Amino acid sequence: MQAFILANLKKKKFLILLIFLVILAFTIYVRFINLNWDLSYSFHPDERNIIGSSVNASWFYDPGFYSYGSFPSYVYRTIADSLTLITGENYVSYSNLLIIGRATSAFVGTISVILFYFLLKRFFSSYFSLLGMVFMSTSMYLIQTSHFATTESLMLMYTILILLSTINLVRKKNIIWSIILGLIFGISLGTKITSTSYLLIILSGYLWIFKKNFKSKLIQTLGLLLLTLLSAVCMLIITWPWLFLNFDKFLEASKYEIGVINGSLSVPYTKQYIDSLNYFYELKNLLFWSLNFPILFLSAFGLIVMIKGFVKKNDAIVVTLPFFILYFLMIGQNFAKFNRYMIPIIPIFIILSIFFLKFIYSYLKLKSIKNYYFIALIFVLIMTQIFFGLSYLSIYFSEQTRITTSKWIYENVPSGSKLLTEHWDDGLPIPIEGYAANYHSGELKMYDQDSEEKIFVLAEKLSSSDYIILSSRKLWTTIIKLENEYPISSIYYKRLFSGELGYNIEYQGRSFPRLGNLILNDNWADESFQDYDHPETYVFKNQSKLPRNELLKLLKK
């Protein structure tokens, strides 16, 4: 009998290991596939800034970029220097550092999925933990962030590590975990100063320790907290020394970023959020693009289950739940609502969804209902998630639309033509090896406030140009709905697309996530989800050559 039980245990462990390795293989594949998908043009502004600072990154040199911490730049530059030393080839170039940065993001994204399994084990059995791994591995947004040399993958990993370390600290209450927690927190601050939000997790953990040991070990607990904070400060000094050496520059950059986030500073790239609904906007993007709708739906009910666990004083839930609720309430009311702001609570949404699935499983078992229904539910969920994950890979198997559009322009627009592009967007055509033409370029400053002068200049440029090129949906989808702020510019876009201005669409570049014949149209996702790796582009040709005065009448009509 004992031998039979041991044999079954071995089979179960083997099956768990096998499933774990299959999920890991899938995770590696979807995150590392075609990291040079844009031929190193790097259309992501944050990626350009981080890699640009990495070229000159050194603990002895001010990177001059304070919107993010220096730690990612130091990591990328250290890897590049090491490869240069080992191979004798120069890896300290923008294009090489870009691939190094993206490979690092893909690696960190993969490690995050592995770490997430061990975090889930603090809440669930192995099989439910493996299911949570699948949910994280197949997230379209997390697959996307692994293809950029930005901080999102790192922030995901820090969230998981800090949750895991805090839970371990609460349960073991020793010096080692207090130091580990502080070191991770310090590195996260050296990556992005908004990591201060992780204090909510750390303080939740220590408050719970205080409550359990208030009389007997108060001094010891306070000592552990002090050790965590000192460790964090020391690691912050190491990973971002220039924060302290040039604190004025940091304050200046922080003031700018805070103004952008809360809307007190009006900048073109956040105008898309005017009149957006707080919380609803974030949930919409989580629902369809970051988590996918089955997980968000399940997590809503899972929150109720988790609250019950909080009331029952489950250590892991006590650490996790306050951070989730407070973070969402604080960040969800921001004016700026970029998808990346929700990265720290994506793992908790998944945990919530698993809580509800576990509740369903327990209920069916209690009612002696055959678990075929539950197995069918899990199968549908997994297949749905795999569909979303694989469909997003089509973006990286396809040529970036700005590159494709640029090639079309070189091949179809005569040399010497006058092209109009838009400010605050990547101008097309981009330089491509093997293609050459002599174009005359002009720029439309459509984000500028509407005025008589702006409209006169617009009409003048429209009358004298041959083509208008829209590099993305960034400007026109925002301005066209802001009729009060842009009464003339909104008319301009409406009449441009209707053909009334004499310009007709000659080419449209589109690339949506797809699997086979199934296409996910993400035109209504947050601009940042589409703009960097698969923007929708347009080339308009001036067919009618309308004179300036007639265009002025059409714009003011």
Side-chain angles (χ1 to χ4, degrees), residues 33 52 70 103 150 189 195 204 219 246 294 300 306 311 344 351 404 406 412 417 422 432 444 469 482 505 511 546:
I33 194 73
S70 297
T150 53
L189 291 170
S195 296
S204 293
I219 301 301
N246 277 330
M306 200 175 194
V311 173
I351 290 172
T404 306
S406 295
N412 295 275
S417 298
E422 297 179 314
I432 299 177
L444 298 176
I469 301 169
L482 300 178
I505 297 175
S511 179
L546 298 179

Side-chain angles (χ1 to χ4, degrees), residues 246-459:
N246 277 330
F247 195 68
D248 289 344
K249 288 185 178 180
F250 164 73
L251 286 178
E252 184 181 345
S254 297
K255 183 179 178 181
Y256 174 85
E257 295 297 335
I258 290 170
V260 170
I261 291 169
N262 64 27
S264 61
L265 179 64
S266 178
V267 292
Y269 55 87
T270 59
K271 286 184 179 291
Q272 62 167 314
Y273 301 118
I274 294 175
D275 296 330
S276 62
L277 295 176
N278 292 344
Y279 305 112
F280 176 79
Y281 188 91
E282 288 88 350
L283 287 173
K284 180 195 76 172
N285 282 286
L286 285 165
L287 179 65
F288 292 103
W289 313 115
S290 297
L291 286 169
N292 309 333
F293 60 87
I295 297 176
L296 193 66
F297 175 78
L298 292 168
S299 65
F301 294 97
L303 181 60
I304 299 170
V305 180
M306 200 175 194
I307 289 172
K308 288 183 177 180
F310 184 85
V311 173
K312 292 179 180 178
K313 301 177 181 179
N314 178 295
D315 288 342
I317 294 175
V318 167
V319 168
T320 306
L321 189 59
F323 171 70
F324 172 77
I325 294 173
L326 292 173
Y327 185 91
F328 183 72
L329 290 176
M330 288 189 301
I331 304 302
Q333 56 83 40
N334 284 340
F335 172 76
K337 299 174 176 64
F338 295 108
N339 284 347
R340 63 178 180 269
Y341 293 166
M342 288 291 124
I343 276 276
I345 56 174
I346 283 179
I348 305 177
F349 271 108
I350 296 174
I351 290 172
L352 291 171
S353 69
I354 302 298
F355 261 110
F356 188 60
L357 288 172
K358 183 184 177 184
F359 170 80
I360 294 172
Y361 175 77
S362 300
Y363 178 81
L364 293 175
K365 191 174 181 181
L366 182 66
K367 297 294 183 180
S368 300
I369 300 174
K370 291 182 179 180
N371 59 6
Y372 297 138
Y373 299 106
F374 186 74
I375 293 172
L377 172 63
I378 297 303
F379 178 78
V380 170
L381 286 172
I382 291 174
M383 289 299 103
T384 302
Q385 291 303 117
I386 290 175
F387 163 73
F388 281 117
L390 291 179
S391 68
Y392 204 80
L393 287 189
S394 65
I395 299 300
Y396 302 116
F397 284 123
S398 305
E399 190 172 59
Q400 216 269 8
T401 46
R402 287 189 176 100
I403 297 174
T404 306
T405 304
S406 295
K407 289 180 178 179
W408 186 91
I409 293 170
Y410 285 124
E411 292 169 355
N412 295 275
V413 174
S415 184
S417 298
K418 185 175 181 180
L419 315 181
L420 289 176
T421 58
E422 297 179 314
H423 69 164
W424 285 96
D425 210 347
D426 293 273
L428 300 181
I430 56 175
I432 299 177
E433 187 177 351
Y435 293 85
N438 181 28
Y439 296 122
H440 305 286
S441 297
E443 187 176 68
L444 298 176
K445 298 182 178 181
M446 299 308 300
Y447 274 135
D448 288 359
Q449 186 177 1
D450 277 4
S451 63
E452 286 294 326
E453 182 184 0
K454 175 184 173 180
I455 304 310
F456 183 86
V457 171
L458 175 60

